[in-house]
Short mmCIF file of all heavy atoms in Angstrom, two decimals:
data_model
loop_
_atom_site.label_atom_id
_atom_site.label_comp_id
_atom_site.label_asym_id
_atom_site.label_seq_id
_atom_site.Cartn_x
_atom_site.Cartn_y
_atom_site.Cartn_z
N PHE A 1004 12.45 -8.24 -7.25
CA PHE A 1004 11.91 -8.09 -8.59
C PHE A 1004 12.75 -8.91 -9.62
O PHE A 1004 13.94 -9.12 -9.42
CB PHE A 1004 11.88 -6.57 -9.00
CG PHE A 1004 11.04 -5.77 -8.12
CD1 PHE A 1004 11.62 -4.92 -7.17
CD2 PHE A 1004 9.67 -5.88 -8.12
CE1 PHE A 1004 10.84 -4.15 -6.34
CE2 PHE A 1004 8.87 -5.14 -7.27
CZ PHE A 1004 9.47 -4.27 -6.34
N GLY A 1005 12.08 -9.23 -10.74
CA GLY A 1005 12.73 -10.09 -11.72
C GLY A 1005 13.60 -9.34 -12.70
O GLY A 1005 14.23 -9.97 -13.57
N LYS A 1006 13.59 -8.05 -12.68
CA LYS A 1006 14.38 -7.23 -13.64
C LYS A 1006 15.51 -6.51 -12.94
O LYS A 1006 15.42 -6.23 -11.71
CB LYS A 1006 13.49 -6.20 -14.35
CG LYS A 1006 12.41 -6.83 -15.22
CD LYS A 1006 12.97 -7.59 -16.41
CE LYS A 1006 11.86 -8.22 -17.24
NZ LYS A 1006 12.39 -9.18 -18.20
N THR A 1007 16.53 -6.19 -13.70
CA THR A 1007 17.66 -5.45 -13.14
C THR A 1007 17.57 -3.97 -13.49
O THR A 1007 16.84 -3.53 -14.40
CB THR A 1007 18.98 -5.97 -13.69
OG1 THR A 1007 18.96 -5.69 -15.13
CG2 THR A 1007 19.14 -7.47 -13.47
N VAL A 1008 18.37 -3.14 -12.79
CA VAL A 1008 18.48 -1.73 -13.12
C VAL A 1008 18.90 -1.55 -14.56
O VAL A 1008 18.30 -0.73 -15.30
CB VAL A 1008 19.48 -1.04 -12.17
CG1 VAL A 1008 19.84 0.36 -12.64
CG2 VAL A 1008 18.93 -0.98 -10.74
N GLU A 1009 19.86 -2.32 -15.00
CA GLU A 1009 20.37 -2.21 -16.38
C GLU A 1009 19.27 -2.51 -17.39
O GLU A 1009 19.16 -1.80 -18.41
CB GLU A 1009 21.53 -3.20 -16.61
CG GLU A 1009 22.80 -2.86 -15.81
CD GLU A 1009 22.66 -3.07 -14.29
OE1 GLU A 1009 21.85 -3.95 -13.88
OE2 GLU A 1009 23.35 -2.37 -13.53
N GLU A 1010 18.45 -3.51 -17.11
CA GLU A 1010 17.37 -3.79 -18.06
C GLU A 1010 16.33 -2.64 -18.06
O GLU A 1010 15.83 -2.30 -19.13
CB GLU A 1010 16.65 -5.09 -17.64
CG GLU A 1010 17.48 -6.33 -17.97
CD GLU A 1010 16.96 -7.63 -17.33
OE1 GLU A 1010 16.59 -7.57 -16.13
OE2 GLU A 1010 16.95 -8.67 -17.99
N HIS A 1011 16.10 -2.08 -16.91
CA HIS A 1011 15.14 -0.97 -16.82
C HIS A 1011 15.64 0.24 -17.59
O HIS A 1011 14.86 0.94 -18.22
CB HIS A 1011 14.89 -0.62 -15.34
CG HIS A 1011 14.03 0.56 -15.18
ND1 HIS A 1011 12.67 0.58 -15.57
CD2 HIS A 1011 14.27 1.81 -14.69
CE1 HIS A 1011 12.17 1.75 -15.31
NE2 HIS A 1011 13.07 2.52 -14.78
N MET A 1012 16.93 0.51 -17.50
CA MET A 1012 17.49 1.68 -18.17
C MET A 1012 17.33 1.63 -19.71
O MET A 1012 17.37 2.66 -20.36
CB MET A 1012 19.00 1.78 -17.89
CG MET A 1012 19.32 2.01 -16.41
SD MET A 1012 18.59 3.48 -15.71
CE MET A 1012 19.80 4.69 -16.07
N LYS A 1013 17.09 0.43 -20.24
CA LYS A 1013 16.88 0.31 -21.69
C LYS A 1013 15.45 0.64 -22.09
O LYS A 1013 15.10 0.72 -23.29
CB LYS A 1013 17.22 -1.13 -22.15
CG LYS A 1013 18.70 -1.43 -22.01
CD LYS A 1013 18.98 -2.82 -22.51
CE LYS A 1013 20.42 -3.19 -22.17
NZ LYS A 1013 20.63 -4.64 -22.02
N ILE A 1014 14.56 0.76 -21.08
CA ILE A 1014 13.18 1.11 -21.38
C ILE A 1014 12.99 2.62 -21.26
O ILE A 1014 13.31 3.21 -20.17
CB ILE A 1014 12.21 0.37 -20.43
CG1 ILE A 1014 12.43 -1.15 -20.61
CG2 ILE A 1014 10.75 0.74 -20.69
CD1 ILE A 1014 11.67 -1.95 -19.58
N SER A 1015 12.52 3.24 -22.27
CA SER A 1015 12.43 4.72 -22.23
C SER A 1015 11.14 5.18 -21.53
O SER A 1015 10.17 4.41 -21.37
CB SER A 1015 12.40 5.29 -23.65
OG SER A 1015 11.21 4.83 -24.32
N VAL A 1016 11.14 6.41 -21.10
CA VAL A 1016 9.94 7.00 -20.52
C VAL A 1016 8.80 7.00 -21.51
O VAL A 1016 7.65 6.78 -21.19
CB VAL A 1016 10.22 8.43 -20.03
CG1 VAL A 1016 8.97 9.11 -19.49
CG2 VAL A 1016 11.31 8.43 -18.91
N GLU A 1017 9.15 7.21 -22.75
CA GLU A 1017 8.15 7.21 -23.88
C GLU A 1017 7.47 5.85 -23.96
O GLU A 1017 6.28 5.77 -24.22
CB GLU A 1017 8.77 7.58 -25.23
CG GLU A 1017 9.25 9.01 -25.35
CD GLU A 1017 10.50 9.35 -24.52
OE1 GLU A 1017 11.27 8.40 -24.21
OE2 GLU A 1017 10.63 10.52 -24.12
N GLU A 1018 8.28 4.81 -23.78
CA GLU A 1018 7.69 3.44 -23.82
C GLU A 1018 6.69 3.26 -22.64
O GLU A 1018 5.61 2.66 -22.81
CB GLU A 1018 8.82 2.40 -23.74
CG GLU A 1018 8.35 0.98 -23.46
CD GLU A 1018 7.46 0.36 -24.51
OE1 GLU A 1018 7.33 0.96 -25.64
OE2 GLU A 1018 6.81 -0.66 -24.19
N ILE A 1019 7.03 3.77 -21.45
CA ILE A 1019 6.12 3.66 -20.35
C ILE A 1019 4.86 4.45 -20.65
O ILE A 1019 3.72 3.99 -20.38
CB ILE A 1019 6.78 4.18 -19.03
CG1 ILE A 1019 8.06 3.44 -18.71
CG2 ILE A 1019 5.81 4.12 -17.84
CD1 ILE A 1019 7.94 1.93 -18.58
N ALA A 1020 5.01 5.65 -21.24
CA ALA A 1020 3.84 6.43 -21.59
C ALA A 1020 2.96 5.71 -22.57
O ALA A 1020 1.74 5.70 -22.50
CB ALA A 1020 4.31 7.78 -22.20
N ARG A 1021 3.61 5.01 -23.54
CA ARG A 1021 2.84 4.24 -24.53
C ARG A 1021 2.05 3.12 -23.83
O ARG A 1021 0.91 2.87 -24.12
CB ARG A 1021 3.81 3.64 -25.57
CG ARG A 1021 3.13 3.06 -26.77
CD ARG A 1021 4.06 2.17 -27.59
NE ARG A 1021 4.61 1.07 -26.81
CZ ARG A 1021 3.91 -0.06 -26.48
NH1 ARG A 1021 2.67 -0.16 -26.84
NH2 ARG A 1021 4.48 -1.01 -25.80
N ARG A 1022 2.71 2.43 -22.86
CA ARG A 1022 2.05 1.38 -22.11
C ARG A 1022 0.84 1.93 -21.36
O ARG A 1022 -0.23 1.35 -21.30
CB ARG A 1022 2.99 0.69 -21.12
CG ARG A 1022 4.06 -0.16 -21.83
CD ARG A 1022 4.99 -0.81 -20.77
NE ARG A 1022 6.15 -1.30 -21.38
CZ ARG A 1022 7.17 -1.85 -20.73
NH1 ARG A 1022 7.08 -1.96 -19.42
NH2 ARG A 1022 8.25 -2.28 -21.38
N LEU A 1023 1.04 3.08 -20.71
CA LEU A 1023 -0.04 3.66 -19.93
C LEU A 1023 -1.20 4.06 -20.82
O LEU A 1023 -2.37 3.93 -20.42
CB LEU A 1023 0.50 4.88 -19.17
CG LEU A 1023 1.32 4.59 -17.89
CD1 LEU A 1023 2.08 5.81 -17.43
CD2 LEU A 1023 0.44 4.03 -16.78
N LYS A 1024 -0.87 4.54 -22.02
CA LYS A 1024 -1.94 4.94 -22.95
C LYS A 1024 -2.69 3.78 -23.56
O LYS A 1024 -3.85 3.92 -23.84
CB LYS A 1024 -1.27 5.78 -24.05
CG LYS A 1024 -2.20 6.60 -24.89
CD LYS A 1024 -1.46 7.36 -25.93
CE LYS A 1024 -2.43 8.03 -26.86
NZ LYS A 1024 -1.75 8.66 -28.00
N SER A 1025 -2.01 2.66 -23.68
CA SER A 1025 -2.64 1.58 -24.44
C SER A 1025 -3.14 0.43 -23.55
O SER A 1025 -3.28 -0.68 -24.03
CB SER A 1025 -1.64 1.03 -25.47
OG SER A 1025 -0.49 0.61 -24.83
#
Side-chain angles (χ1 to χ4, degrees):
F1004 300 106
K1006 296 293 180 193
T1007 64
V1008 168
E1009 293 70 28
E1010 287 169 316
H1011 176 65
M1012 298 300 272
K1013 291 180 189 155
I1014 300 171
S1015 65
V1016 174
E1017 290 71 26
E1018 167 61 16
I1019 302 302
R1021 191 195 59 74
R1022 289 181 196 177
L1023 284 165
K1024 194 180 173 187
S1025 59

